[in-house]
Amino acid sequence: MPTPIAATSSLAASSGSHASARTTYRVRAKDVSKVICHRLHNGREEYLIAWRVAGQAANSRDAIYSWHCIGELSSCLHYVQTYIEGRTKSKAPGEVKRSGPGFVALPTSSSRSSSTSANAISRKRKLSQFARDANTPSLDEAGSDVTTPRDSGYLSREQSVISISSSSSVSEAATQAIPKASAKTVAIKTEDQAQVPCVYNGLLQKKEGWFMTKKSSHPAVHRIDGRKLPDQSMIAAAARVPVTEAEDAIRLAFNRNLQKVKRTRWENKVDKTAPSLDFTWISEFVFGEGIYRPDVDAHEGCDEPCKANMGQNIGCEYPRLCTCLEFAAVDENRIQLNDTERYKQFLKEREDDGYLVNSEGLPKRFPYQKSSSPKIPSTLQKFYLDSRYPIYECNLNCNCGPICKSRVVQKGRRVPLVIFKTADRGWGVYCDEELVRGEFIDTYVGEVITGEESDRRVVQMGEAKQSYLYALDKFIGDSPDLNADTCYVVDGQYKGGPTRFINHSCEPNCRQYTVSYNKHDLKVYDLAFFAIDNIPAGTELTFDYQDEDVVEEEEFWKTKEEALADPDNKDKRPCQCGARLCRGILW
Ligand SMILES: C[S@@+](CC[C@H](N)C(=O)[O-])C[C@H]1O[C@@H](n2cnc3c(N)ncnc32)[C@H](O)[C@@H]1O
């Protein structure tokens, strides 16, 4: 049974100690719909939350609202963060207009069907005045397990430094309601009539450390028309109140979450913000509903002659014989040189079979080579770096041992990454150590979802969603069942790793490659970032979201001019990569 909040506390007890007693209770994230406004109360920041009520919008007339200090919101700080970001955005001058439909998946994407962003979440605020529902029915429902309006809110606290009620009808309306109420609430009137009401349209309850609400039409319950929140006086007052306590708490919370991610730190030399708290750090794919993937035990490994201690005692060694190299890139130079007929036949077969061409007995290229630095286990071969050919690594069922040179990405990230705030493109990533060309950095992880679900998310979230979506479409064309609609998509926006923060550059220093451990699974593979240049420590890591090839400079300028002159590109998002050969358009 929920317990009332200090239902019998006296004013003296409630003005100070009551407030601190309340802070041991928190609001559950799942109960919050959104943060509406903030204010300074007793020298502390407080945030007005709209409670989530099934089937009722946050801005509906009877939604329940209550003010809370940051301690009480520690489980739902991401709502506070969204509110603060919304304020900053609405203040920012010359904001880039983002509009237009479309799904532009990141590298290796195919053209999924376009979808409109008409339903993108609206942050538009209602600016009308408070209005009290004068027809509040007089029901006595302040039972023993719920609080009276006084107890349920912060009515017991001292007058707010910026009193939103002073310029609104709420305080007046609330006190008008009180004479109709019970003796207990009448007594409250004399103590609190100058107070700002803190819970609207309902009552707060507490249970096992959490606050809960209960709808109420009790006449002493403060009423507010949620459709008119926040009103102009609230907005004006909030504009003068800092959000320092919230920002400190958000940064601490982000720090806490990031501690779970090895070799990763973050810094912000630009402002006081932290990356979104509405984010779950994961280290491997999370498979969504309707996604089926063979178990690792079912992966086909390599057979004889591969074994743990062959060749230089490091595993797979024989480019002609190792079956793990079945679909690896053929060493065309060597066949062309030694057997022109076989080479011709191979070219023809490849045209028909793509990456799955039968290359049995032909010399292959190992994806990795020993690096010149003792610190780096191995680097990606130039052929793979330049060609984007899929990389097949050995798996659990291969005969070779763990130090086989065909095991790099599967061992995970080795390099330390820093998430940092850029001046103009949100958060970015750099590496604390120097990277060498061909060095593996990390994979892109996220939720693996169906194409249908991905389209739904783009419609729901708007166009910016696209930059977090990767279509796993590398092998489209290699199987009759695999097409733009059936391939899966990785969504890294709310679940992911540090690479989700890597920004785009038209002259990038990294690139994403396909890495597979199960050569027969064309639908799920790793998206691995490798350095394509030597990258000094502290340099921002970037990749080309369109994964375009480098073109001659003359052609580049011509194409750019045409693209910028094209009216279809008028509303496209401008690229701010700052590269000399910037294409000017992000998507
Ligand atoms: C995958 S996220 C990268 C991380 C992002 N900066 C953040 O703070 O979450 C892609 C988003 O970053 C921004 N971005 C990345 N590269 C950019 C560029 N070259 N110019 C402008 N915005 C860029 C865009 O807002 C884009 O939607």
Side-chain angles (χ1 to χ4, degrees), residues 230-355:
D231 89 342
Q232 262 161 352
S233 65
M234 289 175 101
I235 294 170
R240 296 191 296 273
V241 175
V243 288
T244 319
E245 279 181 47
E247 283 180 334
D248 288 350
I250 289 166
R251 282 197 302 273
L252 272 176
F254 188 79
N255 267 344
R256 240 190 338 266
N257 293 346
L258 194 64
Q259 273 167 17
K260 295 171 211 146
V261 188
K262 58 182 182 173
R263 286 186 288 275
T264 311
R265 62 181 183 88
W266 73 289
E267 66 183 27
N268 185 350
K269 296 181 178 165
V270 176
D271 56 31
K272 295 270 185 338
T273 61
S276 175
L277 292 176
D278 193 7
F279 186 72
T280 307
W281 293 99
I282 54 173
S283 54
E284 48 190 54
F285 286 151
V286 169
F287 293 96
E289 228 180 282
I291 309 284
Y292 305 100
R293 190 190 191 190
D295 197 78
V296 284
D297 291 341
H299 292 184
E300 193 181 310
C302 54
D303 339 298
E304 295 289 343
C306 298
K307 54 186 178 186
N309 59 350
M310 64 187 195
Q312 293 165 40
N313 211 14
I314 57 166
C316 299
E317 280 295 315
Y318 300 107
R320 269 178 198 275
L321 301 173
C322 291
T323 47
C324 45
L325 294 176
E326 187 177 354
F327 299 127
V330 165
D331 190 342
E332 293 182 36
N333 295 346
R334 279 173 64 186
I335 334 173
Q336 197 175 11
L337 217 65
N338 299 333
D339 188 346
T340 24
E341 274 317 299
R342 181 69 183 92
Y343 183 55
K344 274 190 211 152
Q345 186 197 340
F346 165 76
L347 288 183
K348 193 178 166 321
E349 282 172 9
R350 192 177 54 189
E351 220 173 283
D352 297 336
D353 300 334
Y355 290 123

Side-chain angles (χ1 to χ4, degrees), residues 425 427 467-468 500 503-504 545 573 575-577 587:
R425 291 155 299 127
W427 300 91
S467 60
Y468 298 96
R500 162 248 190 255
N503 286 316
H504 159 90
Y545 285 8
R573 172 133 177 120
C575 177
Q576 291 164 283
C577 74
W587 63 71

Side-chain angles (χ1 to χ4, degrees), residues 465-476:
K465 178 74 189 168
Q466 297 152 7
S467 60
Y468 298 96
L469 299 174
Y470 264 97
L472 292 174
D473 57 3
K474 182 74 174 175
F475 297 105
I476 283 185

Side-chain angles (χ1 to χ4, degrees), residues 33-309:
S33 180
K34 68 193 286 196
V35 171
I36 303 279
C37 203
H38 82 293
R39 68 179 184 181
L40 206 61
H41 191 74
N42 286 345
R44 302 292 303 269
E45 286 164 32
E46 287 185 352
Y47 292 80
L48 181 64
I49 64 162
W51 287 77
R52 186 183 292 277
V53 179
Q56 187 174 279
N59 289 85
S60 65
R61 198 184 64 145
D62 295 324
I64 302 175
Y65 302 89
S66 55
W67 288 100
H68 293 272
C69 65
I70 281 300
E72 291 167 357
L73 299 175
S74 59
S75 295
C76 42
L77 283 173
H78 57 283
Y79 286 107
V80 180
Q81 193 179 30
T82 305
Y83 161 73
I84 294 173
E85 280 167 10
R87 294 173 77 232
T88 319
K89 271 189 198 149
S90 61
K91 273 193 245 160
E95 214 202 327
V96 179
K97 183 176 169 252
R98 296 192 196 185
S99 62
F103 176 106
V104 185
L106 288 176
T108 78
S109 75
S110 59
S111 51
R112 298 195 55 78
S113 57
S114 293
S115 22
T116 67
S117 55
N119 296 337
I121 295 162
S122 162
R123 293 178 198 272
K124 204 171 161 197
R125 294 182 182 179
K126 304 269 191 274
L127 300 178
S128 35
Q129 288 290 325
F130 283 8
R132 182 179 177 271
D133 182 357
N135 302 320
T136 307
S138 177
L139 291 174
D140 186 5
E141 57 183 15
S144 65
D145 61 340
V146 295
T147 65
T148 64
R150 166 201 181 75
D151 306 315
S152 70
Y154 279 43
L155 291 173
S156 55
R157 293 189 184 174
E158 290 157 23
Q159 175 101 34
S160 141
V161 173
I162 295 172
S163 169
I164 57 160
S165 62
S166 56
S167 61
S168 76
S169 59
V170 170
S171 188
E172 197 189 321
T175 52
Q176 279 167 5
I178 285 170
K180 292 188 222 151
S182 67
K184 192 157 69 173
T185 44
V186 171
I188 293 162
K189 178 202 163 195
T190 46
E191 294 167 352
D192 295 322
Q193 55 191 336
Q195 295 284 339
V196 178
C198 291
V199 183
Y200 306 102
N201 303 334
L203 303 166
L204 278 191
Q205 299 173 288
K206 61 177 192 178
K207 189 184 180 188
E208 292 161 10
W210 300 107
F211 284 123
M212 283 172 291
T213 51
K214 184 179 168 159
K215 264 181 173 286
S216 174
S217 53
H218 190 285
V221 166
H222 299 287
R223 306 216 59 84
I224 195 165
D225 186 339
R227 292 168 303 183
K228 296 171 181 170
L229 284 179
D231 89 342
Q232 262 161 352
S233 65
M234 289 175 101
I235 294 170
R240 296 191 296 273
V241 175
V243 288
T244 319
E245 279 181 47
E247 283 180 334
D248 288 350
I250 289 166
R251 282 197 302 273
L252 272 176
F254 188 79
N255 267 344
R256 240 190 338 266
N257 293 346
L258 194 64
Q259 273 167 17
K260 295 171 211 146
V261 188
K262 58 182 182 173
R263 286 186 288 275
T264 311
R265 62 181 183 88
W266 73 289
E267 66 183 27
N268 185 350
K269 296 181 178 165
V270 176
D271 56 31
K272 295 270 185 338
T273 61
S276 175
L277 292 176
D278 193 7
F279 186 72
T280 307
W281 293 99
I282 54 173
S283 54
E284 48 190 54
F285 286 151
V286 169
F287 293 96
E289 228 180 282
I291 309 284
Y292 305 100
R293 190 190 191 190
D295 197 78
V296 284
D297 291 341
H299 292 184
E300 193 181 310
C302 54
D303 339 298
E304 295 289 343
C306 298
K307 54 186 178 186
N309 59 350

